[in-house]
Amino acid sequence: MSNESTNTQNSIAYLQGKFLPLAEANVNIMTHSFMYGTAVFEGIRGYWNSEHEQMYIFRLREHFERMLDSMKIMHLETKLSADDLCNITVELLRQNNPKGDMYVRPSAYKCGQRVGPGLENNPTDICIFTVPFGNYFKAQEGLKVMVSSWRRIEDNAIPARAKIVGAYVNTALAKTDAALAGYDDCIMLSENGHVSEGSAMNIFMVKNGQLITTSTTENILEGITRGTIIEIAEQELGIKTLCRSIDRSELYTADELFFTGTGAQIAPCIEVDRRVIGTGKAGTLSLKIQDVYLDICRGVNQKYTNWLTPVYPTQKGRSLAQTTPIHALGGCI
Ligand code: PMP
């Protein structure tokens, strides 16, 4: 990960129901999820607003709702609700007291210490750590990407809509090959040959003024950023997103392409397989969407503050009760 700051000295983590120094937050080598990848996780961003002296966590509840869905698929059980998990996260960030952008990484993992891959009769624990976090990609002027020769995992093999730790071997193989070949990232196809998503990002294409993204049935993680972009493109720019299959060759002739993700935020792609996309510079619509998105995340655009959870006490108090089901978001046509 190309973020510059992973300083975790003196950081507090959450493990087995307790807050403790990160240096002591360790698991045994016989832990099931270490041996078999039987954990799920989320990646969440906290945005520091220096004017407000406040940290805003973006769509916290939606991340935990998705984590609970991933847990259901993986037979990971918990008594904690999405609200409980939000409260624990806010408390953890308060204990760490950051004054800069942060990444929050909760995981639910099979913590039984036993040999054999079964998920049944196997206890679950939840852990969380936080690290300072900057830009995910170095190339700020636009990404040069390749179509990976690795295919995206199929729903009937390892469901991509769950954020399953073991499934990220698929991502790691694709991303590593792209990096070793000199690319910034890659685009993965499904076994059926259609575009699925980036290594850890969803993908949007602009063609003749139409905004298009891949359908949820293309073995994608149903990104919270993806849902957010579908909604703000409609609300702020009056553009409805078309969700459909995308062919590989459509990527080459797109006017604009961009990735979306918590880490990547809105990341324009300017080359695919050595073919220049559009003008070879980040597209106008991509940059407009990026602007609107970042202003919302940082609490500058006040219209969407119901998507933000302030970490530090506010005069109005903190409300965690709001939620917008990500699947019901926006005008995807
Ligand atoms: N696809 C994959 C495989 C991912 O790991 C991520 C990052 N969580 C995304 C898409 C984007 O999802 P989100 O916008 O919720 O971060």
Side-chain angles (χ1 to χ4, degrees), residues 41-43 63 66 152 163 168 171 197-202 220-226 260-263:
F41 70 103
E42 276 300 320
H63 277 283
R66 185 172 67 185
R152 189 79 181 114
K163 246 177 116 57
Y168 277 76
T171 311
E197 58 183 343
S199 63
M201 299 81 63
N202 295 120
I220 65 167
L221 180 76
E222 293 171 41
I224 288 165
T225 321
R226 174 185 180 276
T260 66
T262 299

Side-chain angles (χ1 to χ4, degrees), residues 96-253:
N96 281 306
N97 198 29
K99 301 280 188 284
D101 292 353
M102 294 296 281
Y103 180 75
V104 180
R105 167 60 70 94
S107 306
Y109 64 101
K110 283 292 180 193
C111 61
Q113 294 178 14
R114 67 160 213 223
V115 174
L119 300 170
E120 76 290 357
N121 302 322
N122 194 337
T124 298
D125 183 41
I126 290 180
C127 61
I128 314 177
F129 68 81
T130 69
V131 285
F133 202 65
N135 286 326
Y136 183 76
F137 287 119
K138 274 200 205 107
Q140 287 305 293
E141 66 285 358
L143 305 175
K144 297 181 177 178
V145 304
M146 65 182 279
V147 172
S148 182
S149 60
W150 295 96
R151 292 298 167 107
R152 189 79 181 114
I153 39 168
E154 285 291 317
D155 190 56
N156 289 307
I158 306 177
R161 73 167 37 74
K163 246 177 116 57
I164 300 168
V165 168
Y168 277 76
V169 169
N170 181 233
T171 311
L173 290 169
K175 192 170 171 76
T176 305
D177 275 7
L180 295 178
Y183 293 93
D184 297 312
D185 211 280
C186 62
I187 295 168
M188 298 186 74
L189 309 178
S190 287
E191 284 296 348
N192 66 13
H194 291 133
V195 173
S196 177
E197 58 183 343
S199 63
M201 299 81 63
N202 295 120
I203 190 163
F204 284 72
M205 169 175 105
V206 181
K207 184 72 181 176
N208 300 328
Q210 173 80 65
L211 188 58
I212 305 163
T213 192
T214 50
S215 314
T216 53
T217 46
E218 295 290 356
N219 300 308
I220 65 167
L221 180 76
E222 293 171 41
I224 288 165
T225 321
R226 174 185 180 276
T228 302
I229 297 313
I230 291 171
E231 180 154 355
I232 61 179
E234 184 173 5
Q235 296 302 320
E236 300 301 308
L237 308 171
I239 300 171
K240 271 193 184 282
T241 305
L242 182 60
C243 297
R244 64 157 171 84
S245 288
I246 297 178
D247 282 341
R248 173 189 193 147
S249 54
E250 285 186 279
L251 299 173
Y252 301 156
T253 57

